[in-house]
Amino acid sequence: MSSHARSRSLRAIGVLAALSLTVVGLTGCVSRGSDTTTTEAPELVSDDQLTTVTLDVGDQKGGTEALLRASGELDSAPYDVAFSTFTSGPPQVEAATAGQIDFAVTGNTPPVFGVAANARIKVVSAYSNDASGDQILVPSDSTLTSFSDLRGRKIAVGKGSSAHGHVLLQLQKAGLTEDDVQIIFLQPADALTAFTSGEVDAWAIWDPFTAIAQVQNGSKTLTTAEGVANGYGFGIASQQALDDPAKNTALQDFVVRLAKASAWAEKNPAEWAAAYSAAVGIDPAAGELAQGRSQRPAIALDDTVIESEQALFDAFVESGSIPGGNTFADFVDTRYNDAIADASAATN
C-alpha cells in the first residue's frame, strides 16, 4: 500500500449499526431494484488509474488489516485502504448497504440477514473453516453437559452473527425451538459482561472471544459448531463499489492479496499468532489458541458453498427470524473467483 495509506475508526457508526440492524429496519430503507442483481463486471483499469482510489474496508480486531499487514501483502498496493473497526458482521453489512464501506469479511450468517433484507451487497469471496472456534460456552463451574441442557435457560448471542446461526442449528439438531430457550441478543462486549456476572447461562461466540474466555476465565465448551454449521466466512462488497471500474479493479486486487495473506498465515502459524495477539491486545496464549483453529483460507465461491448458505437461510426462515422470498445465489457475484484461484494455486 502507498505510504499515505491510513486506518480510521468508525466506532460510532459501528455501534449505531449494531443497534439498528434488523431485517425490518433494512427492508424499510433499502430497495432491491435492478442495481442489486448480478450485472456484467466493468472492465478492469490500469494500476496508474488506482492511485487516487481509496477502498473503505470494514474490519474487526485482529481481522483483515492485521492479517494483511503481518503478511506484507499491503506493502505494494497501488491504492489506499481505510480500515474501519466494527464489533461484528451485521453492522458491516448495513454499512456496506449504506455505501459507508466497500468491502468486509464476515462470518456465515450476516450475509444471510443481508439477503433477507435486500441489502445492496454482493458476496464476492469465500473462506473455509471447520467452525471449531465457534462455540457455546458455559462457566467453569457449570453442571450443564449438552446443548439440550439449555432448555429454559438464557443464551447470550449477537443477533445476525455466525453465533446466532450456530444456536439456531443446534436447536434444530436437538429437536428444540427458539421457544425452548431464552435467547438474549447482546454484542460481544455486553455478552461477556452478562456471561461472567452470571446473568446468562451460556454464551454463543466465536474466536478470539472464545479463546479469551477459555484462557482467562476457564470457561468450558458445551458444544462447538463442528459438523453443525458450515464455518464459512465471506467477503461482501457494496453494489456501488462493484459497479465502479476503478474500485472494482482495486477490489479484485484486494481479495487476491487477502487470499495470499491467508495462505501465508497457514504456513507461518507462530508468526501470525504473535502478530494477531498484538493486534487484538490479548494474551498470546489466547491468540495462539484462536488462530490454531480459526484461520480461514480462501476457497472457490461455488455451488456447494452457495447451497450450504441457502440451507442456513432456509433455517432462519423456518424459525421465523427472517422473511423468505429471496435466494442466496441472487446475492452472489463470482467475478473474482478465477483471480483468487490463481493466487491460491501460486502460493501452494
Side-chain angles (χ1 to χ4, degrees), residues 33 120 231 251 322:
R120 298 185 67 233
L251 279 171
I322 59 175

Side-chain angles (χ1 to χ4, degrees), residues 22-36:
T22 62
V23 173
V24 173
L26 276 174
T27 53
C29 64
V30 177
S31 173
R32 182 173 179 182
S34 60
D35 59 350
T36 64

Side-chain angles (χ1 to χ4, degrees), residues 52-178:
T52 60
V53 171
T54 296
L55 279 184
D56 291 297
V57 176
D59 199 13
Q60 298 176 46
K61 275 192 173 184
T64 304
E65 180 179 13
L67 179 58
L68 288 168
R69 293 201 185 283
S71 64
E73 282 295 333
L74 276 184
D75 295 346
S76 60
Y79 47 85
D80 281 349
V81 181
F83 291 97
S84 307
T85 304
F86 292 81
T87 57
S88 61
Q92 290 176 318
V93 172
E94 185 167 349
T97 293
Q100 294 165 338
I101 60 173
D102 300 312
F103 178 84
V105 175
T106 79
N108 62 357
T109 302
V112 164
F113 273 65
V115 168
N118 292 313
R120 298 185 67 233
I121 62 164
K122 284 288 168 55
V123 174
V124 296
S125 57
Y127 308 91
S128 179
N129 182 261
D130 66 5
S132 59
D134 297 332
Q135 302 189 10
I136 296 178
L137 301 175
V138 293
S140 59
D141 59 353
S142 175
T143 60
L144 305 181
T145 60
S146 70
F147 184 84
S148 296
D149 292 338
L150 290 174
R151 184 190 293 268
R153 298 180 184 270
K154 296 178 180 178
I155 307 171
V157 64
K159 186 173 185 179
S161 67
S162 60
H164 188 183
H166 179 202
V167 168
L168 184 60
L169 293 173
Q170 289 287 2
L171 286 168
Q172 287 188 336
K173 181 181 178 182
L176 302 175
T177 71
E178 289 179 274

Side-chain angles (χ1 to χ4, degrees), residues 243-290:
D243 290 341
D244 179 88
K247 285 210 169 182
N248 171 60
T249 304
L251 279 171
Q252 174 166 299
D253 180 83
F254 189 83
V255 295
V256 165
R257 291 175 188 273
L258 187 53
K260 291 179 178 179
S262 296
W264 171 87
E266 282 196 293
K267 294 177 181 178
N268 300 274
E271 186 177 350
W272 165 233
Y276 172 82
S277 300
V280 182
I282 61 175
D283 185 331
E288 184 176 2
L289 176 60

Side-chain angles (χ1 to χ4, degrees), residues 14 68 105 114 116 127 142 164 216 301 312 318 320-321 336-337:
L68 288 168
V105 175
Y127 308 91
S142 175
H164 188 183
Q216 294 185 352
L301 189 52
L312 181 61
E318 290 171 11
S321 300
Y336 303 140
N337 260 7

